[in-house]
Amino acid sequence: MARTKSQPAPPVETTPLDGEVLTANQNLMADNCTEVMNQFGDGLPYERTRLINEARFYMAQSAEAMLEAGKRLIVLKENEPYGEFEKIVREQLGMPERTAQRMMQASLKYLSPLLEAKAPTLALLGKSKLFELIAEDDEDLEALAEGGTVAGLSMDEIDRMTNRELRAALRDSRENAKAQGEVLAKRSSDLQQAKDELDVARKRIQGQPLDVVIKELRVEVTVLAFEVESTALGKLREGFVKMAEHANDAGQDHRTFQADLIHQLEVVLASIRSEFHLPARQADTAPVWMAAEEA
């Protein structure tokens, strides 16, 4: 039986390389390497053995030295071929890649132009706490080094904390900031909604007879006043009742605190009365809004 003649494989089309693109990519890589060397190379030429030995030395030292080790790791990673850096970290430096990544992140953070001058001060907190603070804003860390606070904590307070306590405090601060942001966003939304409703109401009453406009405005304000009164007689009074029950059980007197709250409400109402030059109402007269013509 005759053999079937095999068909030649179709030619594979290859996309010609774009010389300009290759040159541009090479130039970009060279620029990145130069930038890293300028920032972290200490003015010395690249030399793998020297950098590995220096990184190994600094790894055993203080937090400030850890940042120096991170600098060497950054330079090594930028200059070594893909995959070679990870091999150096594991085999020659004897550290997990995750640790090397954190050290490089710390160096990029604390040796940035804004924080480099503050790094020696911040390094007094130790390596672990520098890692915990790495997510904070540069401006906040700069203020911390100058005597300010981060998450309401000073340098001395952070120094006295355990790493777990610091982590929890920073987490609580971020959650509080997020909650405050949500409250402010809702308040802004509510204000915008009120403005939109006011614009709609203003357009609605334009062109209406004056007596109709006055009546609608008074009804609207009366509803608002009723809401305030209902809150005072409802939720506020309910809170006072709970405090009174607690006072009976625990023997603690809350009346001074409650009196301060009432005084604040009185101040607010008095300021409104003063702002609009409102006369004092006679005790034996019925409120104007109860008059028949207001119904």
Side-chain angles (χ1 to χ4, degrees):
M1 181 175 180
R3 296 176 60 185
T4 303
K5 186 177 181 181
S6 60
Q7 298 295 327
V12 178
E13 295 185 4
T14 58
T15 303
L17 296 177
D18 190 328
E20 293 183 359
V21 173
L22 288 175
T23 301
N25 289 338
Q26 290 174 346
N27 290 338
L28 179 60
M29 293 173 62
D31 290 341
N32 290 339
C33 185
T34 300
E35 183 178 352
V36 167
M37 292 299 294
N38 289 339
Q39 184 174 358
F40 299 111
D42 294 332
L44 299 174
Y46 178 73
E47 184 182 346
R48 178 203 276 194
T49 302
R50 173 182 61 82
L51 288 164
I52 292 174
N53 290 333
E54 289 178 352
R56 187 181 292 117
F57 168 78
Y58 285 122
M59 283 162 51
Q61 307 302 315
S62 64
E64 190 172 0
M66 179 269 294
L67 298 178
E68 291 293 331
K71 286 170 53 176
R72 273 70 181 175
L73 292 174
I74 292 171
V75 176
L76 281 165
K77 184 174 183 180
E78 187 63 31
N79 285 274
E80 290 297 326
Y82 178 78
E84 191 67 22
F85 171 74
E86 290 76 9
K87 185 177 179 181
I88 291 173
V89 168
R90 291 192 306 269
E91 298 180 3
Q92 299 192 49
L93 295 177
M95 75 166 72
E97 295 176 28
R98 171 61 179 163
T99 301
Q101 290 292 339
R102 296 186 72 189
M103 291 173 63
M104 290 188 290
Q105 290 173 358
S107 295
L108 289 169
K109 177 75 171 182
Y110 296 108
L111 298 179
S112 64
L114 183 61
L115 291 179
E116 186 172 12
K118 311 298 180 184
T121 301
L122 294 171
L124 297 175
L125 295 172
K127 292 182 284 189
S128 297
K129 290 177 181 176
L130 287 186
F131 287 145
E132 297 296 341
L133 292 167
I134 203 168
E136 302 302 312
D137 292 338
D138 288 2
E139 292 77 8
D140 292 340
L141 292 173
E142 181 185 27
L144 177 67
E146 294 176 348
T149 62
V150 164
L153 301 170
S154 66
M155 283 278 293
D156 289 340
E157 290 170 326
I158 293 175
D159 187 47
R160 290 193 296 268
M161 284 179 154
T162 65
N163 293 334
R164 180 176 297 180
E165 290 171 339
L166 176 59
R167 188 180 308 120
L170 294 175
R171 182 180 62 248
D172 291 344
S173 176
R174 295 188 191 106
E175 290 176 353
N176 290 338
K178 180 181 178 181
Q180 290 176 1
E182 291 174 351
V183 170
L184 291 175
K186 184 178 185 305
R187 184 173 299 175
S188 176
S189 176
D190 291 344
L191 288 174
Q192 184 61 44
Q193 181 180 353
K195 180 179 180 298
D196 294 341
E197 292 175 353
L198 182 61
D199 290 340
V200 171
R202 185 179 293 113
K203 293 177 181 178
R204 187 184 71 248
I205 65 177
Q206 286 178 348
Q208 291 185 348
L210 183 59
D211 58 337
V212 174
V213 172
I214 293 175
K215 187 172 183 178
E216 286 191 3
L217 289 175
R218 289 189 174 185
V219 168
E220 182 177 347
V221 173
T222 300
V223 170
L224 293 174
F226 179 75
E227 290 178 357
V228 174
E229 184 179 349
S230 297
T231 300
L233 293 177
K235 295 181 179 179
L236 181 60
R237 185 179 182 281
E238 180 182 352
F240 277 21
V241 169
K242 291 180 180 179
M243 296 182 77
E245 293 174 350
H246 176 268
N248 292 333
D249 295 337
Q252 185 173 359
D253 193 347
H254 299 294
R255 288 180 297 176
T256 300
F257 174 80
Q258 293 169 324
D260 288 341
L261 293 179
I262 296 298
H263 174 70
Q264 180 60 33
L265 294 176
E266 292 172 342
V267 169
V268 172
L269 293 175
S271 67
I272 295 176
R273 177 185 293 276
S274 175
E275 179 181 358
F276 295 98
H277 308 288
L278 306 180
R281 192 181 69 83
Q282 299 299 321
D284 57 349
T285 60
V288 174
W289 55 267
M290 292 183 63
E293 58 270 18
E294 297 294 331

